[in-house]
Amino acid sequence: MNHLYVGPTLRPREPVLRHPRVRVHRPARHGDLFASSIADGDRIVPIDGVFHYALQHFGKHLLEKGDLVLARSHLREALRLRIAKRDTGLVQSTQSALDRVEARIGQTVAGLAAGRE
């Protein structure tokens, strides 16, 4: 299932919102991305909402699950939004999480390269 958190960005008649594998939610707010209706293997697509908290926490969740590419994507967007807010503490927190993702990606790439030798 694909969970789309939408608001004014998409009109209700958009074809993607009527797809049988899409569940439409209101704009994302803190805690929404951990709803019990979201199962392992589901995709979460926040399009509208209060993102920087949701992106940060879900990015960390993805890191813990080992989905490094999506974790990096979520954390980069959270960082962009937090830089725009000019909140140094939030920026540092997100940068720290992003650094952990980058380190894990580097370890994975190095492990793959070592296995080919």
Side-chain angles (χ1 to χ4, degrees):
M1 180 64 62
N2 296 291
H3 297 268
L4 273 65
Y5 289 83
V6 298
T9 301
L10 295 176
R11 291 177 297 231
R13 287 182 269 152
E14 292 284 343
V16 70
L17 299 179
R18 295 186 306 228
H19 190 278
R21 298 238 346 114
V22 169
R23 181 171 293 152
V24 178
H25 303 272
R26 70 181 187 285
R29 292 185 292 196
H30 182 67
D32 284 350
L33 304 184
F34 301 103
S36 61
S37 62
I38 299 171
D40 284 345
D42 285 0
R43 292 282 178 181
I44 296 173
V45 184
I47 296 173
D48 292 304
V50 182
F51 294 126
H52 63 96
Y53 284 107
L55 288 167
Q56 167 88 6
H57 292 285
F58 193 62
K60 287 181 176 181
H61 171 74
L62 290 167
L63 171 60
E64 291 172 9
K65 290 184 77 168
D67 194 338
L68 303 177
V69 173
L70 278 178
R72 180 172 52 186
S73 174
H74 280 75
L75 291 168
R76 282 181 175 171
E77 182 62 11
L79 182 62
R80 185 187 70 77
L81 293 171
R82 288 176 167 194
I83 288 171
K85 282 182 59 101
R86 297 185 173 148
D87 187 321
T88 306
L90 293 177
V91 168
Q92 289 174 348
S93 170
T94 304
Q95 185 62 59
S96 175
L98 190 53
D99 290 346
R100 286 194 307 276
V101 170
E102 296 291 352
R104 288 269 308 273
I105 289 172
Q107 291 167 354
T108 301
V109 170
L112 291 172
R116 286 188 221 154
E117 295 176 5

